[in-house]
Amino acid sequence: MHQRLEGRRGAESAHSPIYASAPASAPAPARSAAETAAAAQRSEKPDLRKDAPASVIGAGISGAWQALLLARAGRKVTLYERGDSAMTQATSHWAGGMLAPYCEAEGAEPMVGEMGLRSLEMWRKEFPETAFNGSLVVAHPRDRADFERFARMTTGHRRLDADGVAELEPALAGRFREGLYFPDEGHVEPRLVLAQLHKRLVEAGGTIHFESEMTPEDLDGLVIDCRGMAARDKAPELRGVKGEMVVIKTAEVTLSRPVRLMHPRWPLYVIPRENNHFMLGATTVESEDELVMVRSALELLSAAYAVHPAFGEAHIVEIGAGLRPAFPDNLPRIAIGNRRIATNGLYRHGFLLAPALAEKMLNYVERGEIDNQVMRCL
């Protein structure tokens, strides 16, 4: 059994701090020449010239999408990643890859759902060969209240009775009395699609440098900072929210789509992957210790067993955790200024939001469009 007991910090995105000015009534302090030069540098806008080199720092899901769209827009793009090509240090490596804008409406702001719907369109266009089979939400009788609450707070689903659940997922026949089917949702396998995005960037004329740790100050031209938690040097308000996961393997169960099981604290889900693998996730823990807790592992494995007893005979392939970068409001931001653009704070929604955020970044770079919902000009 291959087992990893430690998570890794992400390398996905970044955001600049807001520089507060002194109150108008206070006298302006004298500035040294160095301070004046630093202030002038901070106020400079990103270099948007078409012939300026474009650099993206962080090859996780956010950086990969942003680099790809820039390259396809005809810009000379270099993507820098501090880790190696396996991307095991990236938060994206530990993601579930769920593209579920309707389900996320249960606990996220409307903006997340709106951008998620646009991202889902972009994922379908970029990977038309991927099966987007929707998602299924189920619950045992004891969690009926949570199930009904989830149904009230979400849209885009239809109710299934026991026969409907069995028809959709034969492996679950007789297991659940009812379910919520979200036919327009989907999922991707993070490690596979991330590698494919890197390949497509190169095919579009871009360059990738792995094992190259960069900061925005190291680069000229247009700089897109997507370093995730590594960007706290620029965004100290960022925090890491741990997401733990387990990968198991069994040929005794077949699922065609992610199955969310209602849980007293959070929905836990089982995501089918290639070669009889299933990803169990994901916890949401306000901690940055990067280790998987025994309680979390037990809950994830118990949830799988509750979905189908055959999972009790599965083999554990991998255990790990990733730190999701989040701002206090748990919403993403694109910060413009300080000679760079920074995307950060994707929280639990990295794969769901990355394409739409990259598109908004490109719209600004190419046409100067500002989206006040997500952009901040510093």
Side-chain angles (χ1 to χ4, degrees), residues 43-49 221-224 335-342 364-365:
S43 67
E44 290 181 20
K45 293 295 181 69
D47 188 346
L48 304 183
R49 294 173 300 165
L222 174 62
V223 180
I224 313 293
I336 300 169
N338 303 348
R339 302 175 61 201
R340 65 192 176 95
I341 299 171
Y364 169 76
V365 169

Side-chain angles (χ1 to χ4, degrees), residues 43-81:
S43 67
E44 290 181 20
K45 293 295 181 69
D47 188 346
L48 304 183
R49 294 173 300 165
K50 193 76 173 181
D51 60 348
S55 301
V56 180
I57 311 175
I61 192 60
S62 180
W65 266 101
Q66 304 221 5
L68 180 61
L69 294 194
L70 285 168
R72 288 182 174 166
R75 294 186 176 254
K76 183 178 180 181
V77 180
T78 303
L79 178 61
Y80 295 93
E81 166 59 38

Side-chain angles (χ1 to χ4, degrees), residues 17 37 55 58 86 94 109 134 142 151 154 164 173 192 247 250 254 257 335:
S55 301
W94 307 101
E109 294 291 328
R142 66 178 180 272
T154 57
L192 293 181
V247 177
T250 178
T254 300
R257 56 193 52 79

